[in-house]
Amino acid sequence: MIRPGRSRVLAVWCQDWPAVAAAAAADLPATRPVAVLFGNRVVACSAVARFEGVRRGLRRREAQSRCPDLFLVQDDPDRDARLFEPVVSTVDATVPGVEVLRSGLLVLGARGAARFFGSEEAAAERLVDAVSALGVEAQIGIADELSTAVLAAKRGVLVPPGEGAGFLAPLPITELAAEPSLSAPERADLVDLLHRLGLRRIGDFAALSPVEVASRFGVDAVLAHRLARAVPERPPSARRPPPELTVEYRCDPPIDRVDAAAFAGRMLATALHTALAAASVSCTRLSVYAETAAGEHLSRIWRCAEPLTPSGTADRVRWQLDGWLTRRDRPTAPITLLRLEPVEIAASGALQLGLWGGVGEENERARRALIRVQGLLGGEAVQVGVLSGGRGPVERVTMVVLGDERVPAADPGLPWPGRLPEPAPAVLLLNRPTVELEAADGHRVRVTARGLFSADPMLLRWGSRQWRLTGWAGPWPLDEHWWSPESAASAARAQVQLDSSDTEVRVLLLVYLDEIWRAEGLYD
């Protein structure tokens, strides 16, 4: 299973791009076979040329003999890159954060695209349609790792999370050296050696231990082995915001009061969003920078889950300057320079307001108050809950820092056999205080090895208080981590209803661990 928080990679591959670019530069029809030469050998050819028998590596004369109507052109990387730029711009306009590996191949993070368009399949279809509008055919591959996504794009496959190694295993070993942007030139010698040793598939190579590979084949083989096992790699590098989006203000006279700083911050926010609007982008991470007359440098990065608005930016600048100028270790001199720098940007289309133009006023006031608290106490001080996957109520809540992407620790959409039935407890007791269940004869109620009560529960003791029970449900055995020696032999959950009118709590969620009953949740 994919680890929580892991990002996915989407690769866009334009097949035979040198031949496609050469045909476009020469204004040739799609039915004309094209081959690109380098050193008098074919390095790329169109699908029509391949149908006629032309292959990479053929000499010029042999290629012409197989296809007399073949259009030959010399390899020109500048031409390929120049004509690929419209494709890159189109993809970047659809999903920001593109990294070009080479002309004809680019990658980007798949998580944002999947969230924006609804699913990875929908994002792939949208990108294919956007590129095809330029008259270019493209294939999409999505996987956990960049290298796997590139190989998947050449087959038009969306690899499910956690199944990268299984997808790579049956592929020919030559695929490790087929993509120049993923391997060094000496990779071909390694692949030839592995083939002569009897390793025909990528899975055969992946079955070797890392120690065996490192001690026998060298550094490049270690990289190839990591690719074969689909182990974590670097994610795509998003585009850096252009420097012209940065705005700054020379404070004359220097600022030492919060009200003056707030006025300067609002003026800077207006200038920043004017520049962002001109570039048709929005800011999701903002760096606030200040410099004092004594040479002190202050900076803080603000992150927001949604693109910042001018008022939101002004508020953050004001709150940050307020925190700097009023804290105990405040600067020793007035502020002489203020600068706002976008750290992360997104296409303006990513900002989608509500049906009536925005969110509710109450929600906006609450959000601003939380952000202010976050600015005073630190980014980790304010967290929000995200629905997560799990069987117990505690596991189904993932706490995420306000402003960060709300990624659950486990997928809530997966099946979770044995999950606690609805409704969930209104209050969770993280300390799980100890309670006692007693039967009618006064003996303690336990959970047997068959997952049943040892006797019907009739009384619950919690500290110095006790309640008779009017009903109960369960127990539901917890069969988790059965392979671990530390797992409880008999673990279960149960719900009990109290016969009491002096408390609002009428139903409790109990958990049985290590032969001890504990209160885990309270129901309204």
Side-chain angles (χ1 to χ4, degrees):
M1 181 179 296
I2 187 170
R3 288 187 294 275
R6 284 290 310 282
S7 60
R8 302 261 288 162
V9 181
L10 185 151
V12 181
W13 179 59
C14 299
Q15 187 177 13
D16 307 323
W17 181 253
V20 173
D27 198 19
L28 297 177
T31 56
R32 180 72 183 273
V34 179
V36 180
L37 301 177
F38 180 77
N40 210 34
R41 287 185 180 272
V42 176
V43 294
C45 60
S46 63
V48 178
R50 277 198 304 276
F51 182 78
E52 297 292 337
V54 180
R55 296 291 185 270
R56 293 177 57 184
L58 292 181
R59 290 189 176 273
R60 175 186 186 131
R61 182 172 298 179
E62 185 177 359
Q64 287 179 314
S65 66
R66 295 187 180 188
C67 181
D69 193 35
L70 185 65
F71 180 82
L72 298 175
V73 63
Q74 292 297 319
D75 185 39
D76 186 357
D78 294 337
R79 175 197 61 215
D80 300 343
R82 181 176 67 254
L83 295 178
F84 191 58
E85 179 58 30
V87 178
V88 178
S89 300
T90 298
V91 174
D92 193 53
T94 307
V95 181
V98 169
E99 179 183 0
V100 180
L101 297 185
R102 61 171 175 82
S103 297
L105 178 63
L106 56 87
V107 294
L108 53 111
R111 177 183 296 168
R115 291 181 61 197
F116 186 79
F117 294 113
S119 66
E120 292 180 346
E121 292 79 6
E125 292 177 1
R126 184 63 63 88
L127 288 174
V128 169
D129 292 341
V131 175
S132 64
L134 301 176
V136 177
E137 295 183 0
Q139 293 184 184
I140 305 297
I142 301 179
D144 295 342
E145 307 305 333
L146 187 148
S147 300
T148 310
V150 170
L151 296 180
K154 295 189 176 185
R155 291 158 177 81
V157 175
L158 274 60
V159 182
E163 297 185 13
F167 164 75
L168 295 173
L171 299 184
I173 194 70
T174 53
E175 289 294 328
L176 295 178
E179 176 51 53
S181 63
L182 300 179
S183 61
E186 58 266 24
R187 180 70 59 81
D189 296 334
L190 171 66
V191 169
D192 180 69
L193 175 60
L194 295 177
H195 192 273
R196 287 187 281 113
L197 290 175
L199 303 178
R200 300 290 191 266
R201 304 292 176 183
I202 292 181
D204 300 335
F205 184 45
L208 301 179
S209 70
V211 175
E212 292 173 335
V213 174
S215 61
R216 289 169 171 82
F217 299 102
V219 177
D220 184 65
V222 174
L223 299 178
H225 192 242
R226 291 175 62 85
L227 187 158
R229 294 184 295 132
V231 298
E233 302 172 342
R234 65 173 181 87
S237 301
R239 180 188 61 182
R240 294 285 302 176
E244 57 265 25
L245 295 181
T246 300
V247 295
E248 65 179 26
Y249 172 68
R250 297 280 178 179
C251 307
D252 187 15
I255 296 175
D256 59 355
R257 302 193 323 272
V258 174
D259 56 345
F263 177 82
R266 184 165 296 276
M267 181 177 59
L268 269 181
T270 302
L272 172 65
H273 282 271
T274 300
L276 293 174
S280 299
V281 296
S282 301
C283 179
T284 55
R285 291 181 65 199
L286 177 69
S287 173
V288 182
Y289 173 85
E291 184 177 330
T292 69
E296 298 166 289
H297 301 274
L298 308 172
S299 66
R300 178 69 59 83
I301 294 179
W302 285 82
R303 179 191 294 268
C304 186
E306 297 177 347
L308 291 168
T309 61
S311 60
T313 301
D315 287 342
R316 285 162 176 77
V317 175
R318 174 169 54 84
W319 296 330
Q320 188 58 63
L321 294 176
D322 189 2
W324 281 338
L325 294 176
T326 58
R327 66 187 187 186
R328 182 175 301 177
D329 55 339
R330 57 180 296 175
T332 58
I335 295 176
T336 58
L337 174 67
L338 285 176
R339 180 186 302 141
L340 300 182
E341 179 181 359
V343 178
E344 186 174 272
I345 58 176
S348 296
L351 178 58
Q352 294 191 358
L353 299 178
L355 180 61
W356 309 113
V359 296
E361 183 179 354
E362 297 82 3
N363 293 340
E364 182 65 17
R365 285 202 303 267
R367 186 179 63 84
R368 292 189 179 189
L370 291 176
I371 294 176
R372 179 173 176 82
V373 173
Q374 193 177 39
L376 295 175
L377 302 181
E380 301 289 336
V382 181
Q383 298 183 350
V384 295
V386 179
L387 180 63
S388 182
R391 296 175 175 84
V394 176
E395 293 86 352
R396 299 196 66 195
V397 178
T398 300
M399 301 305 296
V400 179
V401 175
L402 178 67
D404 284 355
E405 187 175 2
R406 298 189 175 187
V407 180
D411 187 358
L414 295 176
W416 293 94
R419 187 175 66 181
L420 182 71
E422 299 292 343
V427 178
L428 296 180
L429 306 176
L430 299 181
N431 59 338
R432 290 180 173 177
T434 302
V435 298
E436 291 185 5
L437 281 183
E438 294 184 1
D441 57 3
H443 288 84
R444 295 178 57 190
V445 176
R446 295 179 172 83
V447 176
T448 66
R450 299 178 63 88
L452 302 174
F453 283 134
S454 58
D456 291 346
M458 293 295 178
L459 185 72
L460 182 139
R461 298 182 185 273
W462 188 339
S464 60
R465 302 189 62 182
Q466 64 181 31
W467 296 271
R468 296 194 63 81
L469 303 182
T470 59
W472 47 268
W476 299 289
L478 303 179
D479 192 15
E480 294 180 306
H481 302 286
W482 52 266
W483 61 87
S484 175
E486 292 81 11
S487 63
S490 297
R493 284 190 174 92
Q495 295 169 336
V496 295
Q497 184 176 9
L498 309 181
D499 182 14
S500 175
S501 59
D502 60 348
T503 177
E504 295 182 358
V505 179
R506 295 296 183 89
V507 180
L508 300 179
L509 175 65
L510 306 181
V511 60
Y512 185 74
L513 296 172
D514 300 325
E515 298 186 353
I516 297 176
W517 286 103
R518 300 177 184 274
E520 188 177 25
L522 310 177
Y523 292 89
D524 287 338

